[in-house]
Amino acid sequence: MRSETRRLRLRMALHAGELLLDKHGVTGSSVNFVFRLLDAAPLKHALAGSDGGLALVVSDWFYEEVVRRAERVELASYRPVHVSIKETEADAWVHIPGNAVPG
C-alpha cells in the first residue's frame, strides 16, 4: 500500500475564436492557440510555484474583452505573461485562484 499523497493539478486556458468542424472533429487556429497557451512555460511555472490545484491562462483578447469587463473579478490576481512556444508569440494573463498575485 502506498502512503504518499497525490494531488490533482489542472491547467485551463480560455480564448475565443472561429472553430471549424470537419470529419475529424473541431479544428482551427483558435484550437491550436489554446493548446499552446496550455503548454506555455509561464503557466506551468505559475502552477508549480503555487499551493493551488488550478492555474488559468487567458489570451490577451479574452482578458481585454471579458475579464476586464467582469464586475466580480479581482484584476490584481491576474499577471501578464508572454507566451513563446512553437510558432506562437503572444501576450496572455495567468491567474491562480486563491493567490493575490501568482508567482
Side-chain angles (χ1 to χ4, degrees):
M1 184 163 131
R2 296 179 92 166
S3 63
E4 73 183 53
T5 302
R6 294 183 185 250
R7 284 186 355 176
L8 182 63
R9 304 194 76 174
L10 301 173
R11 290 175 283 150
M12 181 173 145
L14 294 171
H15 178 62
E18 185 178 2
L19 300 176
L20 306 170
L21 185 60
D22 66 16
K23 65 181 181 178
H24 302 290
V26 177
T27 64
S29 60
S30 294
V31 174
N32 291 340
F33 183 68
V34 166
F35 278 109
R36 289 183 180 154
L37 289 178
L38 279 174
D39 203 30
L43 182 64
K44 291 179 180 180
H45 291 303
L47 184 57
S50 79
D51 292 331
L54 173 66
L56 171 67
V57 62
V58 299
S59 67
D60 192 52
W61 181 92
F62 194 90
Y63 180 84
E64 293 296 331
E65 295 298 321
V66 178
V67 174
R68 279 192 58 224
R69 299 169 191 244
E71 293 180 16
R72 296 183 186 185
V73 173
E74 181 61 46
L75 295 179
S77 67
Y78 283 79
R79 176 176 61 100
V81 296
H82 184 75
V83 172
S84 179
I85 186 168
K86 296 187 180 181
E87 303 87 29
T88 300
E89 295 283 336
D91 293 323
W93 296 81
V94 170
H95 170 67
I96 307 291
N99 288 6
V101 178

